Amino acid sequence: MCGIVGYSGPQSAATPLIEGLRRLEYRGYDSAGIALGTPGKLFIEKKAGKLSNLEGSLDSSLPVVHSGIGHTRWATHGGPTDGNAHPHVDNEGKLAVIHNGIIENYSELRKELEARGHKFSSETDTESVAHLLSDLRKKHGGDLSAAMREAVKALRGSFTLLAIHGDAPEVVVGVRRNSPLVVGLGNGENFMASDVAAFIDYTKRAIELGQDEVVTMTPTSVKITDLEGKAVAPKEYQITWDASAAQKGGFTHFMLKEIFEQPKAVADTLIGRLSDNKQIVLDELRMSADEIRALKKITVIACGTAYHAGLVAKYAIEKWAKIPVDVEIASEFRYRDPIIDAGTLVIAISQSGETMDTLMAVRHAKAAGGRVLAICNTNSSTIPRESDAVLYTHAGPEIAVASTKALLTQMVAVYLIGLHLAQVNGALKDAEVESLYKELLELPGKIEQILETVEPLRALTRSFAENNIVLFLGRNIGYPVALEGALKLKELAYIHAEGFAGGELKHGPIALIDKGTPVIAILPAGHEHALDEKMLSNIQEVKARGARVIVIAEEGAHVEGAEHIIRIPVVPALFQPVLATVPLQVFAYEMAVARGNDVDQPRNLAKSVTVE
């Protein structure tokens, strides 16, 4: 959600802070602010609305100082106002705090602090931390790091905190608990941020921080301790993508750019996964052949778009590996006493690796004795670090809030897992696995084919711009595609959209059909179980009630009753979601554009949901 940036170095701090916040706009926010390390009383400026509002309020009188903290906020406690925007300060105006997450015991802290004479000026949970740190810093003789260590012990919840004080403005102190924070190591300057994108222009050297680790940063030093003050050895890593990857590259929006990056993302995720002796190579699983053969079931946990990748996993793994698969919404998982034991492999899917619902589900699964495999696109994020193994996708940075290329690479990852499990337990022969892998290698080129012919679809979409309801139908492996198409339309076009299993149409949803209602149907590939014929019957049912029907069908497939047909290349049935999803992404994108919505930062949404 919120974006966090800290800087200490020779530059005028306002520059890297504002640039960093701009790179974090994709996370979703409704206010922005900075605190500059002016000696004594800090310089604070914050504004509701977009970052441009904050920039417009910074005039030529802006002090040139060399440290500071910056924040973009997505409102939780208190509305999106100037007063509730971060940073929050103590009553002396000398200590400033920015915060991502939730302080669960803020109310009792506030009462205690008010009883001690502190005056509050906002409705936020964050302000209580500023006042608490102010008192603790005095208790510790001006040591802000010691104050942070003691403060964190008193806090309940999930948070990243950065603080700065006017008496030692070159020092920025940060801490994380269940919320992202990374350190960037520059040349005579250092950075902290909730995402490496914030400082990628300046350095590719980064340090990952563990739970409840406090980092003290100056222009020339970075020191990390645990909550008892014991030094922690930094774990440095190299950032493998560059600043240009986070630019629009000539596209109107990041989302459109990322849609067109999907062929490369899928290809990168597949590279080197079949050995010379025709074995799927997934060393990342860290499971022996005996451990794989001993698996009794698999549980997939995920949220939102990643949940739809999990549904695809169920179809693929059960079909190939013959292992039962449950797919759970991560936010519901741990509240129903799920049955997890040593014979359970839990697959946690998360684009950011910081999704709080999924992280809590991972911890619950591990505590119950399950083995956890993460599928993630973000190196060294929390979920991979806390899992037993991780399979990284290679989608590259995804800036638009609505996920596109991350989803397709997640699908590819679960296909690889399914093939590997099937090969190890003997459910598929090596020749079958090799044949399917070769089909996977064809997917990038087939996605390219769809994108090369996408302009008529964009024009068609604009004719639906005034509709306020769109229904999606799918059967079998097409059902997750229908769900994803509906979710994308909700996220971007702000209209009512629902995905249904085709067979459920007559059990209620057909009542929604009225004259002119758009219905998008995914025609199943091939003739297995005669599902294509059943979907054609569904199409006739809605058409007879006045629906405008768009059908996504493979080349050469027979279609009747459609007003429009979108053709996709022929692939094995289980791989169809990778291709069928692409036109639905374009449909949602173009609907948002036609309706004048903010494509890359839809209202009320955030890229990384770091609170439950």
Side-chain angles (χ1 to χ4, degrees):
M1 291 184 181
C2 312
I4 282 178
V5 186
Y7 175 78
S8 187
Q11 299 188 59
S12 173
T15 299
L17 292 178
I18 294 296
E19 288 178 355
L21 293 179
R22 185 172 292 111
R23 288 205 178 277
L24 298 181
E25 284 189 293
Y26 73 90
R27 297 171 70 92
Y29 70 103
D30 45 39
S31 62
I34 59 172
L36 298 180
T38 44
K41 189 172 183 178
L42 299 172
F43 173 88
I44 307 289
E45 187 66 39
K46 51 186 185 176
K47 291 291 181 183
K50 293 295 185 182
L51 184 61
S52 56
N53 293 351
L54 173 65
E55 291 181 277
S57 68
L58 300 174
D59 56 27
S60 57
S61 62
L62 186 71
V64 178
V65 295
H66 304 290
S67 62
I69 55 179
H71 190 268
T72 50
R73 173 181 186 254
W74 193 78
T76 52
H77 295 75
T81 65
D82 289 356
N84 287 332
H86 296 210
H88 288 285
V89 297
D90 64 356
N91 287 150
E92 297 172 340
K94 299 179 74 172
L95 185 149
V97 171
I98 55 178
H99 165 220
N100 183 11
I102 289 178
I103 306 299
E104 293 176 355
N105 59 330
Y106 82 97
S107 182
E108 56 196 78
L109 286 173
R110 179 167 180 153
K111 289 177 183 177
E112 293 173 7
L113 290 159
E114 285 177 331
R116 298 207 295 262
H118 289 268
K119 304 297 182 184
F120 282 69
S121 59
S122 79
E123 305 166 90
T124 68
D125 53 341
T126 307
E127 190 180 358
S128 63
V129 181
H131 293 285
L132 177 63
L133 277 173
S134 182
D135 279 2
L136 292 175
R137 182 182 173 277
K138 293 171 184 174
K139 172 184 172 182
H140 287 280
D143 188 336
L144 184 57
S145 301
M148 183 69 83
R149 286 190 287 269
E150 184 171 345
V152 169
K153 293 177 183 178
L155 300 179
R156 297 198 307 270
S158 304
F159 48 81
T160 293
L161 298 167
L162 260 62
I164 190 170
H165 196 282
D167 287 354
E170 76 285 354
V171 178
V172 181
V173 177
V175 67
R176 66 170 294 270
R177 176 185 292 170
N178 300 330
S179 187
L181 181 64
V182 291
V183 176
L185 302 174
N187 184 16
E189 60 184 357
N190 290 306
F191 306 81
M192 278 191 268
S194 48
D195 190 316
V196 297
F199 53 73
I200 192 70
D201 279 332
Y202 300 102
T203 182
K204 291 188 177 182
R205 294 173 61 209
I207 293 174
E208 64 180 54
L209 297 174
Q211 286 284 80
D212 289 343
E213 291 182 350
V214 175
V215 56
T216 304
M217 181 179 81
T218 70
T220 57
S221 67
V222 170
K223 297 178 180 178
I224 304 171
T225 67
D226 62 18
L227 295 188
E228 304 308 318
K230 182 180 178 181
V232 175
K235 299 175 183 176
E236 184 176 336
Y237 66 97
Q238 195 77 5
I239 302 166
T240 56
W241 49 275
D242 58 27
S244 65
Q247 301 299 319
K248 292 180 183 175
F251 288 91
T252 310
H253 299 95
F254 280 114
M255 182 180 177
L256 188 61
K257 173 178 178 279
E258 288 155 12
I259 288 172
F260 276 81
E261 287 174 342
Q262 290 180 124
K264 182 180 185 299
V266 168
D268 287 348
T269 301
L270 285 166
I271 287 174
R273 293 301 184 179
L274 190 70
S275 68
D276 291 339
N277 61 347
K278 314 305 180 187
Q279 300 293 303
I280 295 293
V281 179
L282 284 184
D283 295 337
E284 300 98 323
L285 265 61
R286 299 179 184 173
M287 294 180 70
S288 69
D290 287 342
E291 287 173 323
I292 288 174
R293 295 187 190 105
L295 286 176
K296 297 176 183 176
K297 71 170 183 175
I298 293 172
T299 297
V300 181
I301 50 176
C303 299
T305 288
Y307 173 75
H308 301 149
L311 292 175
V312 170
K314 178 178 177 66
Y315 286 97
I317 294 172
E318 289 190 343
K319 175 77 170 179
W320 295 332
K322 310 304 180 187
I323 302 171
V325 179
D326 296 327
V327 186
E328 302 266 4
I329 296 172
S331 58
E332 293 291 325
F333 175 70
R334 65 192 178 111
Y335 299 109
R336 63 164 193 82
D337 296 325
I339 300 172
I340 301 292
D341 57 28
T344 304
L345 174 63
V346 177
I347 301 177
I349 307 177
S350 171
Q351 179 268 329
S352 68
E354 303 292 349
T355 308
M356 186 54 57
D357 298 304
T358 308
L359 176 59
M360 293 296 107
V362 164
R363 290 175 177 169
H364 184 85
K366 291 193 70 174
R371 184 183 188 91
V372 179
L373 165 66
I375 296 175
C376 187
N377 189 48
T378 308
N379 188 49
S380 296
S381 52
T382 304
I383 289 172
R385 291 209 308 269
E386 297 199 13
S387 298
D388 297 297
V390 56
L391 176 58
Y392 283 112
T393 57
H394 296 282
E398 190 177 68
I399 306 303
V401 168
S403 182
T404 51
K405 60 180 181 171
L407 169 64
L408 262 60
T409 56
Q410 287 165 355
M411 290 182 188
V412 169
V414 301
Y415 290 145
L416 290 171
I417 292 170
L419 291 176
H420 180 65
L421 297 179
Q423 190 166 45
V424 172
N425 70 15
L428 287 180
K429 297 178 181 178
D430 289 352
E432 293 174 300
V433 170
E434 181 185 10
S435 176
L436 287 166
Y437 182 77
K438 287 181 177 178
E439 290 283 359
L440 283 172
L441 292 177
E442 297 293 323
L443 289 178
K446 291 178 178 180
I447 299 169
E448 286 275 14
Q449 285 179 244
I450 296 171
L451 294 174
E452 287 170 358
T453 58
V454 82
E455 286 307 315
L457 171 59
R458 295 180 69 177
L460 168 64
T461 302
R462 290 190 283 272
S463 70
F464 290 91
E466 299 303 316
N467 289 89
N468 289 313
I469 179 173
V470 179
L471 304 183
F472 296 78
L473 300 179
R475 282 181 176 267
N476 195 263
I477 196 72
Y479 175 48
V481 179
L483 294 175
E484 174 62 15
L487 178 60
K488 280 293 161 286
L489 206 54
K490 292 171 191 173
E491 290 177 316
L492 294 165
Y494 314 152
I495 67 175
H496 180 72
E498 293 295 335
F500 299 105
E504 286 294 292
L505 189 63
K506 295 184 290 294
H507 297 280
I510 199 166
L512 295 170
I513 304 297
D514 201 354
K515 184 175 177 57
T517 301
V519 175
I520 299 179
I522 296 91
L523 190 69
H527 303 283
E528 188 176 9
H529 309 302
L531 281 175
D532 54 343
E533 294 178 3
K534 295 181 187 300
M535 180 57 75
L536 290 172
S537 295
N538 294 145
I539 291 168
Q540 293 297 335
E541 288 167 348
V542 297
K543 180 178 171 60
R545 289 158 177 82
R548 296 179 63 189
V549 183
I550 302 171
V551 176
I552 297 176
E554 64 182 17
E555 294 165 353
H558 173 68
V559 180
E560 289 182 0
E563 185 173 321
H564 304 281
I565 303 173
I566 301 168
R567 296 288 183 179
I568 60 175
V570 177
V571 289
L574 283 173
F575 297 158
Q576 190 188 49
V578 174
L579 301 186
T581 297
V582 176
L584 301 186
Q585 294 170 343
V586 174
F587 184 86
Y589 167 83
E590 200 63 38
M591 282 284 276
V593 172
R595 293 167 73 92
N597 296 346
D598 189 335
V599 174
D600 289 332
Q601 298 171 47
R603 69 187 184 195
N604 304 331
L605 298 180
K607 185 64 174 174
S608 180
V609 182
T610 54
V611 295
E612 284 192 280

